[in-house]
Amino acid sequence: MINSKLSVKIETKDAKLSNELESMVIAGGGLRIVGSEGKESPDLLIFELSENFNEEFKTLQSLLTSNTVGEIFLTAKTKDTDLLLKAFKTGAKAFFFQPIDPEEVREALESFKARADQAQHPVINARHTKGEVIHVMGAKGGVGTTTIAVNLASILAGKKDGNSVALVDLNTVFGEVPLFLSLKPVYHWGEIVKNIQRLDATFLMNILTLHSSGVHILPSPGYLNGHPPATPEIMGNLLDLMRKNFDYVVIDGGQSLDKASLKSIEMSTQVLMVSLLSLPCLANTNKLIRSLSSQGLAQKDRVKIIINRYMKNSDISLEEAKNSINNDIFWEIPNDFNTTMSAINQGKALNDISPKAPITRNLIELAESLSGSPAIDERKKKKGKGFFSFR
Ligand SMILES: Nc1ncnc2c1ncn2[C@@H]1O[C@H](COP(=O)(O)OP(=O)(O)O)[C@@H](O)[C@H]1O
Ligand SMILES: [Mg+2]
């Protein structure tokens, strides 16, 4: 490395403010000033906005997007909260109203140095997490993929051992996670795709919406708005960062088998393939398993078949289903249209509206089984499969 000190460029409208900021930057150590004429891309740009801030925001955003600057701090004479909001939407990491408070600047510079340090040593600094990635996918639309993903995430987050949980919706345009949880998220997937070079733990946490269940949500774009699709590389980077920051990352993968979804399936510790006891669903399950198998992704200990809406008296028995897909069935979830529909219509998790309902208790058991709770393993040994064994 030519110079281990992080570089800071200061662009203000008057020299006095520039000198003031310069001495604050130097005082903290570990940073060096680069001249405003220099061609070097600074790690940090401290920029003073003028009256013409809308144009300036556009330029600043493109500086960030093109990686011409690492981070941006802003300052302005006007005390306007709207301006502040715009500044943070643009991606500014700090905003100083004038007259500048030296303590505020000092704190922002220290955080900047800490972030840069974390980016250089991500593994050393990463919190120790379980890092489980659970990809939930459906053999068909409407089989209950979103119901299972949303409720699993909220149950895992509600467990006493304080797991950190994130829920990612991969269903572009048709993502329903926010509806299931009555959320109006500000950001979605598209933000990550557009700003992938800025993706670090801080950026990620700013984009996720925290639901009252404790689950951090990353929804999908609600409509096509010129967002480029997620590539396998982007998915790889995102999931890698997420598993370093969360104990469980649950993915509502819908029916997608595009390249980004295949990457998510590849990186998952468990893949839940949701199916029903119906001929078309079982035929699709067969096709899905074969497709995953052709990509080397169908390991039996990882890909688990879940039969949703299970009814004891169904025309097709579990044994017949098992034979037809040539795979074990890992779990059955009972049929309960009223409770699931009522949860969806209220925008709440099953645990919140009907904690005692058999379907909720079944999903709690599923969560425990997936998270390797010793209690459930013991019970399984004694009783077969969970409380709600329908065989
Ligand atoms: N175990 C279940 N019993 C009865 N109905 C269910 C069950 N799971 C989901 N559903 C219903 O199926 C419908 C589709 O569920 P959803 O989770 O949106 O499926 P997907 O995400 O696969 O399209 C919803 O109306 C939901 O209430
Ligand atoms: Mg869905």
Side-chain angles (χ1 to χ4, degrees):
M1 199 180 287
I2 306 162
N3 191 334
S4 63
K5 286 189 172 180
L6 296 160
S7 57
V8 182
K9 190 181 220 173
I10 298 173
E11 285 186 26
T12 61
K13 312 298 172 220
D14 72 285
K16 185 165 167 282
L17 178 64
S18 173
N19 290 340
E20 220 177 303
L21 285 166
E22 206 171 305
S23 50
M24 290 177 202
V25 167
I26 302 295
L31 303 174
R32 67 193 164 88
I33 302 284
V34 297
S36 55
E37 305 308 319
K39 290 220 159 44
E40 187 181 346
S41 301
D43 296 306
L44 171 67
L45 170 67
I46 307 182
F47 185 86
E48 184 181 25
L49 294 166
S50 69
E51 313 267 279
N52 192 18
F53 52 77
N54 277 331
E55 278 310 303
E56 287 170 339
F57 277 136
K58 278 187 206 149
T59 314
L60 291 169
Q61 187 140 43
S62 71
L63 288 178
L64 280 173
T65 316
S66 59
N67 243 352
T68 311
V69 300
E71 286 195 12
I72 292 179
F73 289 0
L74 293 174
T75 175
K77 288 200 171 60
T78 32
K79 279 203 168 58
D80 179 350
T81 43
D82 204 34
L83 191 66
L84 192 67
L85 215 69
K86 273 194 177 139
F88 286 115
K89 272 196 148 174
T90 305
K93 285 273 159 55
F95 193 99
F96 315 121
F97 286 120
Q98 295 171 25
I100 281 178
D101 174 359
E103 186 52 24
E104 232 177 84
V105 177
R106 195 191 62 75
E107 274 176 20
L109 289 170
E110 286 308 314
S111 307
F112 161 65
K113 283 191 269 184
R115 281 192 294 274
D117 185 46
Q118 176 154 25
Q120 270 183 352
H121 312 284
V123 178
I124 297 166
N125 287 313
R127 197 169 71 81
H128 185 72
T129 61
K130 293 193 179 111
E132 289 269 336
V133 181
I134 303 175
H135 185 106
V136 189
M137 63 191 297
K140 246 169 123 39
V143 294
T145 308
T146 305
T147 303
I148 294 171
V150 162
N151 286 291
L152 256 188
S154 104
I155 289 166
L156 286 167
K159 279 176 57 142
K160 288 185 197 70
D161 35 7
N163 289 309
S164 54
V165 181
L167 174 61
V168 181
D169 190 347
L170 286 189
N171 299 273
T172 321
V173 182
F174 301 112
E176 291 175 329
V177 166
L179 289 178
F180 274 59
L181 292 171
S182 303
L183 272 182
K184 283 208 174 65
V186 182
Y187 299 115
H188 53 68
W189 245 102
E191 244 62 50
I192 305 257
V193 178
K194 263 194 313 195
N195 296 295
I196 186 66
Q197 75 293 341
R198 288 177 51 207
L199 184 63
D200 60 12
T202 314
F203 180 68
L204 176 69
M205 295 315 276
N206 280 329
I207 284 206
L208 298 174
T209 302
L210 181 60
H211 181 252
S212 56
S213 61
V215 182
H216 289 79
I217 316 275
L218 181 59
S220 57
Y223 58 102
L224 284 181
N225 188 20
H227 295 295
T231 61
E233 291 72 34
I234 291 177
M235 178 59 81
N237 288 347
L238 173 67
L239 286 185
D240 193 39
L241 184 64
M242 289 191 93
R243 67 185 172 189
K244 285 184 184 137
N245 285 276
F246 289 97
D247 292 311
Y248 294 96
V249 181
V250 179
I251 294 160
D252 177 355
Q255 289 82 57
S256 174
L257 278 186
D258 65 13
K259 285 184 179 156
S261 302
L262 285 174
K263 183 74 189 173
S264 163
I265 292 169
E266 179 197 319
M267 291 180 75
S268 295
T269 38
Q270 322 209 41
V271 178
L272 307 186
M273 198 180 280
V274 184
S275 189
L276 306 179
L277 287 184
S278 76
L279 283 179
C281 264
L282 293 171
N284 277 6
T285 309
N286 243 326
K287 289 183 204 158
L288 275 177
I289 295 170
R290 260 189 282 148
S291 306
L292 293 189
S293 187
S294 72
Q295 309 283 314
L297 297 174
Q299 300 81 356
K300 290 202 173 182
D301 55 339
R302 218 171 53 94
V303 179
K304 292 169 175 156
I305 314 288
I306 312 274
I307 297 294
N308 192 22
R309 310 194 66 165
Y310 178 67
M311 287 185 288
K312 219 174 176 178
N313 54 357
S314 118
D315 286 341
I316 303 172
S317 72
L318 284 172
E319 199 56 31
E320 284 165 335
K322 180 180 157 185
N323 292 337
S324 84
I325 55 175
N326 197 20
N327 248 282
D328 279 342
I329 289 164
F330 178 75
W331 204 266
E332 305 98 52
I333 300 170
N335 187 57
D336 187 345
F337 186 73
N338 287 346
T339 313
T340 51
M341 208 55 208
S342 162
I344 296 171
N345 286 339
Q346 293 180 58
K348 291 198 167 135
L350 286 167
N351 219 357
D352 284 337
I353 64 149
S354 295
K356 297 248 153 58
I359 183 165
T360 314
R361 292 170 58 194
N362 174 285
L363 287 168
I364 293 172
E365 292 235 336
L366 173 60
E368 289 187 350
S369 173
L370 295 175
S371 60
S373 154
I376 193 113
D377 286 346
E378 275 309 302
R379 214 158 27 213
K380 261 167 100 179
K381 268 187 224 148
K382 279 190 209 141
K383 292 185 65 173
K385 226 166 21 161
F387 280 160
F388 300 94
S389 184
F390 291 88
R391 287 176 208 231

